[in-house]
Amino acid sequence: MEDKKEQVEIDKKDLDEETLFVVSQTFKALGDPTRIRILNLLFHKEFSVNRIAETLHLRQSTVSHQLRFLKNLRLVKYRREGTTLYYSHDDEHVMNMLKQTIEHACHN
């Protein structure tokens, strides 16, 4: 009887397909050095695509591509001012996880 009860508890802890997909895509986003650099920059304040490219010494097309990926995961958001888009982070949980991971990596 105990085995059945234990199996029911394990089944309740299993993740649905959508949750698994979102989690894996989030880790995929955090597994790319360029995206980490962009998110780290956006942790402090919002930036335009051009300013991100200048600050991180990246091509504008590279930054735009990475921001599109991050936006699709709702990790960044933007606001429009005239013809300029300003990006900022959009998920405090992921940003805190990134910050803690960076602190862990620097803790030697």
Side-chain angles (χ1 to χ4, degrees), residues 24-64:
S24 68
Q25 289 299 297
T26 301
F27 278 105
K28 180 179 178 181
L30 296 177
D32 180 86
T34 301
R35 289 191 287 262
I36 291 170
R37 293 175 69 210
I38 292 170
L39 287 171
N40 186 55
L41 186 65
L42 296 178
F43 188 81
H44 304 288
K45 67 177 194 172
E46 68 178 13
F47 286 89
S48 68
V49 174
N50 288 336
R51 186 71 175 141
I52 294 169
E54 288 173 14
T55 303
L56 299 179
H57 307 288
L58 297 168
R59 293 189 331 246
Q60 182 182 355
S61 61
T62 300
V63 172
S64 294

Side-chain angles (χ1 to χ4, degrees), residues 46-106:
E46 68 178 13
F47 286 89
S48 68
V49 174
N50 288 336
R51 186 71 175 141
I52 294 169
E54 288 173 14
T55 303
L56 299 179
H57 307 288
L58 297 168
R59 293 189 331 246
Q60 182 182 355
S61 61
T62 300
V63 172
S64 294
H65 174 76
Q66 298 300 345
L67 287 170
R68 191 174 319 112
F69 184 88
L70 295 168
K71 184 179 161 300
N72 287 340
L73 290 172
R74 297 185 318 224
L75 298 180
V76 299
K77 60 185 175 184
Y78 69 88
R79 67 175 182 84
R80 182 181 300 275
E81 190 173 296
T83 59
T84 305
L85 299 178
Y86 291 91
Y87 284 84
S88 59
H89 68 83
D90 195 25
D91 191 316
E92 199 68 37
H93 297 104
V94 173
M95 295 306 289
N96 286 331
M97 185 172 62
L98 177 61
K99 182 180 177 187
Q100 288 176 350
T101 305
I102 291 169
E103 288 171 356
H104 173 74
C106 294

